[in-house]
Amino acid sequence: MKRGGAGTTQNTFDAIATGAGISGGWAAKELTEKGLRPSLPERGRDVKHGTTPRR
């Protein structure tokens, strides 16, 4: 992790697995086990721990 300008933080990743669904999560797991640093961005609203999202 590197410090950027104006109080921002920059992260360096080896791979990006888009979406934390079954395939994205599995890809991130496999990459991590191989010693890589994956990023796993997810689209959607923030859900607080202990709450049930409404549809």
Side-chain angles (χ1 to χ4, degrees):
M1 185 173 0
K2 299 177 185 176
R3 276 298 211 188
T8 62
T9 303
Q10 297 177 345
N11 294 307
T12 303
F13 300 101
D14 299 310
I16 299 173
T18 305
I22 187 67
S23 297
W26 189 265
K29 171 196 164 298
E30 292 291 317
L31 292 167
T32 300
E33 289 178 351
K34 304 268 188 272
L36 298 174
R37 293 184 40 151
S39 172
L40 191 58
E42 181 62 53
R43 187 181 90 169
R45 63 185 177 90
D46 188 24
V47 178
K48 301 280 187 226
H49 179 72
T51 63
T52 303
R54 303 223 182 249
R55 293 182 184 238

